[in-house]
């Protein structure tokens, strides 16, 4: 059973456009939702994260929107640049326990065309 | 402040062999988690180490084992390698078990032939 579902699998956006990646989760106990960016041959890098007590968080060109009732969250990349071309992973975690492992979506490969 | 470093970066092993992967955690981080990332998939949690003890495990068989040392560095050992073990193995460190601001290393690409 996949606990975090991510879509789309791949995304092509023109330079300057908005990239939107969506994720849905099942476990209502999750209380931490990060997004990771991964370039080929590299490990995932933490991009931005949100907790369910806020509906939106913005850091530079990256914004997370969070809908607790729908159990969905999304990443918006404004003014997308070719350097943003990478694979993006959403993840979820329950921090209330004694061990907080991340559960990842399957990833979205973003290509930003110049 | 040093980041998370893993060694080796690439490794080729034969089915049935054993392998040891190493990870140095980021300075100030006492918790290390290991993840397996198959090609085209998201990372999957293997286990977590805190204070030199295993602190949680994902759906992986006992032939996947680990260690954490007093300096918080860690090892992942896999026995009786299978072809499906071919993957990128990622180590992530964090400041505590409940602080999931996890920072990943570059990974070890393991190929089992």
């Amino acid at each position: 059973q996949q606990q975090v579902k991510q879509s789309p699998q791949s995304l092509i956006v023109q330079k300057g456009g908005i990239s939107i990646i969506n994720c849905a989760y099942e476990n209502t106990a999750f209380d931490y939702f990060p997004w990771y960016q991964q370039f080929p041959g590299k490990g995932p890098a933490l991009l931005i994260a949100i907790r369910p007590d806020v509906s939106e968080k913005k850091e530079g060109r990256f914004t997370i929107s969070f809908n607790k009732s729908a159990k969905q969250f999304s990443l918006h990349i404004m003014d997308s640049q070719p350097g943003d071309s990478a694979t993006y992973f959403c993840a979820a975690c329950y921090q209330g326990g004694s061990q907080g492992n991340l559960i990842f979506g399957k990833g979205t490969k973003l290509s930003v065309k110049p | 402040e040093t980041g998370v470093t893993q060694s080796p970066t690439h490794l080729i092993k034969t089915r049935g062999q054993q392998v040891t992967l190493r990870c140095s955690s980021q300075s100030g981080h006492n918790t290390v988690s290991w993840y397996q990332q198959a090609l085209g998939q998201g990372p999957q949690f293997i286990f977590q180490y805190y204070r030199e003890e295993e602190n949680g495990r994902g759906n992986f068989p006992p032939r996947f084992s680990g260690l954490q040392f007093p300096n918080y560095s860690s090892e992942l050992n896999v026995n009786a390698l299978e072809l499906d073990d071919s993957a990128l193995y990622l180590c992530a460190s964090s400041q505590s078990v409940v602080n999931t601001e996890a920072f990943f290393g570059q990974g070890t690409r393991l190929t089992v032939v």
Side-chain angles (χ1 to χ4, degrees):
Chain A
Q1 185 182 23
Q2 187 182 355
Q3 295 194 58
V4 178
K5 294 183 180 179
Q6 184 172 347
S7 63
Q9 188 174 354
S10 62
L11 183 61
I12 300 174
V13 173
Q14 290 296 123
K15 179 182 175 181
I18 302 174
S19 303
I20 302 174
I21 304 170
N22 301 299
C23 282
Y25 63 97
E26 298 168 1
N27 189 343
T28 55
F30 289 150
D31 55 6
Y32 176 72
F33 302 89
W35 284 89
Y36 282 83
Q37 178 190 58
Q38 187 176 31
F39 292 104
K42 303 291 185 183
L46 180 62
L47 201 56
I48 186 172
I50 198 168
R51 299 183 191 279
D53 53 344
V54 298
S55 60
E56 187 174 281
K57 182 175 181 180
K58 183 176 181 179
E59 289 184 2
R61 297 185 293 111
F62 301 92
T63 299
I64 299 179
S65 297
F66 187 84
N67 186 331
K68 188 174 181 178
S69 61
K71 294 190 286 185
Q72 294 176 347
F73 58 111
S74 60
L75 176 70
H76 291 63
I77 306 174
M78 312 300 286
D79 188 26
S80 298
Q81 299 296 313
D84 296 330
S85 297
T87 300
Y88 292 80
F89 293 94
C90 62
C93 173
Y94 171 54
Q95 290 190 304
S98 60
Q99 178 259 317
N101 62 288
L102 294 164
I103 297 170
F104 286 85
K106 291 191 173 183
T108 297
K109 186 173 183 179
L110 171 65
S111 296
V112 181
K113 300 300 184 184
Chain B
E1 182 179 278
T2 57
V4 180
T5 58
Q6 293 186 242
S7 63
T9 55
H10 295 84
L11 201 54
I12 300 176
K13 288 287 189 178
T14 302
R15 189 172 50 182
Q17 284 188 314
Q18 178 265 342
V19 68
T20 298
L21 312 181
R22 295 178 175 82
C23 171
S24 294
S25 61
Q26 185 164 314
S27 176
H29 289 186
N30 60 17
T31 303
V32 172
S33 301
W34 287 91
Y35 291 80
Q36 180 195 66
Q37 185 178 22
L39 203 61
Q41 300 294 316
Q44 283 202 309
F45 175 70
I46 303 174
F47 44 54
Q48 181 186 77
Y49 274 84
Y50 173 66
R51 292 185 176 179
E52 303 177 52
E53 299 275 340
E54 184 178 294
N55 181 52
R57 187 179 187 93
N59 189 26
F60 281 82
R63 58 188 185 84
F64 286 77
S65 63
L67 285 172
Q68 187 180 34
F69 300 100
N71 66 353
Y72 306 126
S73 66
S74 178
E75 286 183 355
L76 164 65
N77 299 289
V78 187
N79 293 321
L81 283 166
E82 301 177 359
L83 296 179
D84 284 349
D85 295 333
S86 295
L88 181 68
Y89 288 85
L90 296 162
C91 167
S93 74
S94 54
Q95 288 184 325
S96 75
V97 295
V98 293
N99 178 348
T100 48
E101 194 169 275
F103 295 89
F104 284 82
Q106 83 282 5
T108 294
R109 172 68 64 187
L110 172 65
T111 302
V112 182
V113 297

